[in-house]
Amino acid sequence: HWGKQELPRLKLIWKNWVLPKVKFFHWLANMDRCWTADRLQRRGLQHHPRCLLCDQEPETIHHLLVSCTFSRQVRHDTLSWL
Ligand SMILES: [Zn+2]
């Protein structure tokens, strides 16, 4: 995970002024260490077959943050509200 091209992005996470728990979440997401269904499956743990928010695709961190239709709608609504 710590390829040379990854380092500037990780440095950016730590330098920005955001709440520590948000920083930590971004760090976990970048390292693919969030307990999403794909990770639970790799560890042989109980998991849902599809994303609980949209019920359309397998739950991965990339799906939740980028491609999930439900997450996208929430993001869109939040930005509109702001
Ligand atoms: Zn989804």
Side-chain angles (χ1 to χ4, degrees), residues 51 54 63 68:
C51 173
C54 68
H63 170 74
C68 178

Side-chain angles (χ1 to χ4, degrees), residues 34 36-37 51-53 58-68 70-72 75:
C34 295
T36 45
C51 173
L52 290 174
L53 299 176
E59 185 194 77
T60 64
I61 194 63
H62 183 270
H63 170 74
L64 287 177
L65 296 178
V66 180
S67 62
C68 178
F70 182 87
S71 299
R72 287 164 81 146
R75 206 162 43 237

Side-chain angles (χ1 to χ4, degrees), residues 1 3 22-23 26 32 41 43 50 58 70 74 77 79:
H1 287 288
V22 176
K23 269 186 192 178
H26 274 257
D32 195 18
Q41 184 180 24
R43 299 292 173 95
R50 285 189 302 275
F70 182 87
V74 170
D77 292 350
L79 289 173

Side-chain angles (χ1 to χ4, degrees), residues 2-74:
W2 287 86
K4 264 192 173 171
Q5 71 280 7
E6 302 288 326
L7 286 175
R9 192 170 54 164
L10 289 174
K11 276 183 187 167
L12 201 65
I13 293 170
W14 295 111
K15 272 190 177 177
N16 281 326
W17 189 91
V18 287
L19 291 173
K21 65 183 176 184
V22 176
K23 269 186 192 178
F24 187 60
F25 172 73
H26 274 257
W27 180 78
L28 285 176
N30 264 282
M31 303 299 280
D32 195 18
R33 289 193 178 172
C34 295
W35 285 104
T36 45
D38 60 326
R39 188 162 201 240
L40 293 170
Q41 184 180 24
R42 287 198 302 270
R43 299 292 173 95
L45 299 170
Q46 195 175 13
H47 61 281
H48 294 279
R50 285 189 302 275
C51 173
L52 290 174
L53 299 176
C54 68
D55 198 32
Q56 290 176 15
E57 291 179 49
E59 185 194 77
T60 64
I61 194 63
H62 183 270
H63 170 74
L64 287 177
L65 296 178
V66 180
S67 62
C68 178
T69 52
F70 182 87
S71 299
R72 287 164 81 146
Q73 188 61 49
V74 170

